[in-house]
Structure formats: C-alpha cells, structure tokens
Amino acid sequence: MDKIIIEGGVPLHGEVEISGAKNAALPILAAVLLTDEECVIENVPVLRDVLTMLKILRSLGIKSQVNGSRVVLKAGKHRKFTTSYNLVSTMRASICVLGPLLAKVKQAKISMPGGCVIGQRPVDLHLKGLSALGANVKVEHGYIVARAETLHSNNIFLGGAYGPSVLATANVLMAAVLAKGKTVIENAACEPEVVDLADFLLKMGAKIKGYGTHRIEIIGVKRLSGARHSIIADRIETGTYILAGAITKGKLIIKNASIEHLAAFIDKLEQIGVSVSSNRNGDIYVKTKKAVLKSVEFTTLPYPGFPTDIQAQMMALLSVVNGISVVTEKIFPDRFMHVSELNRMGADIFLEGASAIVRGVKTLSGASVMASDLRASAALVLAGLVAKGKTEISRIYHLDRGYENLEDKLSKLGAKIYRVKNV
Ligand code: EPZ
C-alpha cells in the first residue's frame, strides 16, 4: 500500500487550481441514467470515487469515455438495474443510482451500503422518499429492492434526527423529475452540490423550482434529454487548501474556486486571524494576518452552516492555535477518528460526547500515522505540513477517493511531500 511522506515546516506559497466537486459529480453522473441520449460532463475530478461511479454506471448499461476532466456518457441498448456489493461497499455514494434507476428503468436492486468510520449512515430517508413516490421498497438479503411501474407525485418531509440529507434529497429529486404530477420536498438539503444537480436536471428538461432552499417543487415530465454541464468547484478541496496556507503561515492564491460556498468557514478563519479575500475573477487570497492566532468555537451544521467535511482539517489548524477551541459535530457525532492520530503528533485534544476540546500547542512533531477516512486523512496531511520533522501517513487510498493530484498540487506550493508506492 502507498504511503505519503511529508517533511514539515515549509510555508506554502503560490497558486493552486481547484478541481470539480466530487460530491456534485457523483449524483450528476448518476443522473445520466435518466436519459437515453448523450450527456457531456465537464470539470469532473479524476478521483477513485468518480471512477467507481463510472464502473457502476457501466454495470448498469451506461457507456462512458473519459478524456481528462471531460466525460461523455450514453446509455447502451441493454439497461440493467442491479449493482453488486463489491462496487457499493467501496463507496456509499453509490446509493444515488437508486432514484434514477427507479424512475427510468422502473426497478432497482442495490446492495445496502454498510456503516462507515464516520459513524452510522442510515438510508431510511432515501427509502421513505421513494416509497412516498409510490415505489415498493424492501430490504432483502442485504439489497435494497425497489419497484414502481409508475411513480406519482407527493408532498414529502425529508427530515432526520440530524437535519436534511444531501443524497436522500438528490435521490428523491432524481426520481420525482419523471414522476406524474407535482412533488414537493420539504426540509430538502440546500447544499451547493444539490443546486448543481438541479441545474443539470434543468438542462435535461426537468421542471424544478425552489432548489437551493428547504422546499423544492418538481413537476414531473415524460422524458429527459441529454445535456452538457460543467461541475462546480469543490468547496471542501478549496477549504483544505485555504487551511494549508493558514497552518503553514504561507500566502496562497486559489483559482477556479467559489468563495461564496464557504461563508461560515471563512467567518471562523477571520476570527482565528487568517485573512481570506477574493478578487473579481473569483481568485481567493489567503494569508495569516496575525503572528498569534486565536482559538474559536464552531459547530458543524447543514449548509450554509460550517461543513462537517472540513471539520477534521480545521481541527488540525486549531491544534496549533493559541488557547482552547471547542469543535462540536452535529452531522456525524462520531466523526472524530482524526483526534487520536493528531494527538500522536503532539496535539492536545480530548473528546467530550460530540465535542472535541482542543488545547492549542506550540508545535506538532512528525510521526507515523494512519489515515482512517477521507477528511481525517486530509487533516493529517495538514498537520504534517506544519509538524517538525517527518510525518509518514499510511492507508492513503482514502485521500485518492477525494483529492485530485494532492501531492503534485502541494509540491508546486513548496511542500516537501512525496508518495512511496507499495510499501
Ligand atoms: C453527503 O453524504 C456527502 N457525500 C458527505 O461527504 C457529507 O459529509 C454529507 O453529505 C453531509 O454534508 C456525498 O455527497 C457523496 P447526509 P450523505 O445524508 O448525503 C443522517 C465526504 O467526506 N441521515 O446529508 O450520505 C446522516 O446519518 C463526505 O466527502 C439519516 O438519518 O449525508 C447524517 O447524520 C462523507 N437518514 C445526516 O442525516 C438517511 O437516510 C446528514 O447526512 C440519510 C442520512
């Protein structure tokens, strides 16, 4: 298995370009199942999760050609409706083929995704929403089996114990665009990735209003056409590079990003003493305003709140910020796998229920650490960038799921980072 080695302590300088958003690309690629015509998707990040989604689509009868960040997809003659455990078990987001399959092929058999290291990941809201549209949905022998000769509209409340669900909203939206009549999703997720999906569906001929708010209205249409779409910038990758600039006290220009998707995060960085601004072209400038950074408290929340997907990386920064910070996780209360590894590097963090209390230390020291999930791995990379000495991160396949060319992009900014293959 590959490892990443980082020699810490180098302030990062220069320009970095952000890739397309993984979490927008995955449901948008799944939405191609809704048409028989050709779709062209641009600014697709070349990542393991995207390649897994293309494999799943291929197994369902969708042919694809990848040319850099441009993917051309078209349904072949033989559509299938079953995805195997082998594919689904490597990526929970494979569940977003459920809604489009049901709408277009009228049935779906998808391996039930298991739990994962960031905590329980139930799928009750997906099943509730699709049942409300008239599908017969059962869980049998580890598979979600759903059938619906016709889907009909309904008013659906999609709230769970932790608020709206991003992919359940995507699934119900993708099913409702071909259902008869007007569907209303109440308590819908309004993340930018849901908006990007709705934009793509509109280009395919869907009728959707209210997306980007908690109430989405959909009028079903008979068929959807092919479309061309460019994926929005990855706000989580953007946040990770902003933090790479901040933690190393460097100076970065971040290109091809959307600062407006990161308001809650940037507000906290300003409180800490990191300056983040943008110009008319949307380039983001990051520099550290003060010699001594200040601790903060924050809670992860659904959009536009502080994203859970940048919680771990922000904690890496707070571990070297003066004072006591409190981080509360309100989306995935167990998403703290990075804490013990950061502590191995000299951080002083303890957990109290769904909160982490971070006592800032002066320096971190390089160590051998293990990546446990995608964002926890990114937090360890950030810690390694500022730590004294050598950090060796193993199990980095998690990083390959969600960060395009991470070592290349960081090396170009001056980081001493390299990958050792098959150790
Ligand atoms: C999406 O996952 C993202 N994944 C996650 O990104 C992200 O952490 C998460 O949204 C929250 O923002 C993709 O877009 C591919 P949810 P999703 O359903 O949609 C509960 C990353 O690092 N819930 O919005 O699966 C759930 O347990 C990742 O890129 C139910 O109760 O997350 C959680 O507490 C990992 N029942 C809350 O809702 C359900 O049926 C929000 O989760 C579904 C979810």
Side-chain angles (χ1 to χ4, degrees):
M1 263 190 269
D2 295 2
K3 276 186 180 176
I4 279 183
I5 315 280
I6 306 173
E7 298 279 351
V10 184
L12 302 191
H13 286 279
E15 287 184 9
V16 60
E17 189 133 339
I18 296 303
S19 302
K22 164 181 87 78
N23 290 347
L26 295 174
I28 285 173
L29 289 169
V32 169
L33 285 162
L34 289 164
T35 180
D36 295 322
E37 296 178 17
E38 183 177 279
C39 293
V40 180
I41 316 291
E42 284 157 347
N43 203 32
V44 177
V46 184
L47 299 168
R48 231 187 52 193
D49 276 8
V50 165
L51 299 178
T52 303
M53 179 54 83
L54 293 177
K55 265 194 211 160
I56 291 173
L57 292 177
R58 233 167 279 141
S59 75
L60 295 170
I62 305 287
K63 297 183 175 148
S64 55
Q65 275 183 323
V66 182
N67 191 351
S69 62
R70 185 172 186 270
V71 185
V72 180
L73 304 106
K74 187 165 184 331
K77 281 206 180 109
H78 303 291
R79 291 286 193 112
K80 297 200 176 91
F81 61 88
T82 305
T83 58
S84 73
Y85 174 72
N86 286 351
L87 285 172
V88 173
S89 62
T90 62
M91 184 182 77
R92 282 192 53 89
S94 25
I95 193 159
C96 53
V97 299
L98 184 58
L101 272 182
L102 203 50
K104 183 69 183 168
V105 191
K106 303 189 185 311
Q107 53 186 329
K109 185 175 173 195
I110 298 188
S111 174
M112 180 94 171
C116 81
V117 287
I118 68 175
Q120 272 192 17
R121 306 279 302 269
V123 292
D124 55 309
L125 296 173
H126 299 251
L127 307 191
K128 172 185 168 185
L130 296 173
S131 303
L133 293 177
N136 179 356
V137 189
K138 285 186 262 181
V139 177
E140 278 174 355
H141 309 295
Y143 279 79
I144 301 168
V145 183
R147 283 194 188 85
E149 214 25 65
T150 48
L151 290 174
H152 57 71
S153 58
N154 207 339
N155 277 28
I156 306 164
F157 182 82
L158 265 192
Y162 298 99
S165 159
V166 176
L167 289 181
T169 302
N171 247 332
V172 177
L173 173 61
M174 288 189 277
V177 288
L178 288 180
K180 266 191 182 163
K182 177 173 155 186
T183 296
V184 178
I185 307 176
E186 298 279 6
N187 204 34
C190 49
E191 269 67 5
E193 294 76 16
V194 175
V195 173
D196 205 30
L197 170 65
D199 280 336
F200 176 56
L201 294 169
L202 288 174
K203 289 176 188 167
M204 296 173 89
K207 293 190 175 158
I208 310 167
K209 284 203 296 196
Y211 55 99
T213 74
H214 289 306
R215 187 174 198 275
I216 304 181
E217 289 181 15
I218 305 129
I219 311 256
V221 295
K222 285 223 162 80
R223 59 178 291 281
L224 293 175
S225 60
R228 175 185 291 263
H229 184 75
S230 181
I231 303 284
I232 54 168
D234 195 312
R235 64 192 166 110
I236 308 304
E237 188 194 22
T238 307
T240 306
Y241 282 99
I242 291 176
L243 286 166
I247 202 167
T248 62
K249 301 222 166 110
K251 223 171 164 186
L252 296 188
I253 303 175
I254 299 179
K255 301 190 94 77
N256 191 27
S258 298
I259 198 169
E260 66 274 15
H261 293 158
L262 285 166
F265 166 67
I266 286 168
D267 183 54
K268 286 295 159 194
L269 285 175
E270 291 286 344
Q271 287 175 33
I272 294 172
V274 178
S275 153
V276 184
S277 57
S278 66
N279 66 12
R280 267 210 229 137
N281 302 330
D283 299 341
I284 300 177
Y285 294 82
V286 186
K287 65 174 190 239
T288 305
K289 281 192 296 203
K290 295 179 186 146
V292 180
L293 298 178
K294 271 184 24 201
S295 56
V296 288
E297 293 188 7
F298 76 88
T299 300
T300 63
L301 289 169
Y303 189 81
F306 193 103
T308 173
D309 293 345
I310 324 183
Q311 179 258 106
Q313 302 91 310
M314 184 73 151
M315 201 185 293
L317 172 66
L318 294 176
S319 68
V320 288
V321 159
N322 203 27
I324 295 177
S325 297
V326 181
V327 175
T328 302
E329 185 45 77
K330 284 262 172 94
I331 307 287
F332 297 112
D334 297 325
R335 195 178 197 175
F336 287 117
M337 300 297 287
H338 40 286
V339 166
S340 52
E341 299 301 286
L342 288 173
N343 283 346
R344 300 192 72 244
M345 298 178 71
D348 182 357
I349 308 170
F350 68 93
L351 290 175
E352 189 63 59
S355 294
I357 320 297
V358 187
R359 280 192 285 245
V361 295
K362 284 224 161 68
T363 50
L364 295 176
S365 61
S368 293
V369 286
M370 203 169 281
S372 56
D373 78 82
L374 171 56
R375 310 304 173 186
S377 316
L380 297 178
V381 170
L382 294 176
L385 290 174
V386 74
K388 279 199 171 145
K390 186 163 106 180
T391 296
E392 209 174 290
I393 309 175
S394 49
R395 293 211 189 148
I396 53 156
Y397 48 86
H398 293 290
L399 280 169
D400 296 334
R401 291 186 45 205
Y403 287 92
E404 192 174 36
N405 297 332
L406 180 83
E407 306 100 87
D408 277 5
K409 288 187 185 184
L410 284 172
S411 295
K412 284 190 184 128
L413 298 173
K416 289 188 185 157
I417 177 169
Y418 53 95
R419 180 181 291 235
V420 186
K421 294 247 174 215
N422 290 325
V423 277

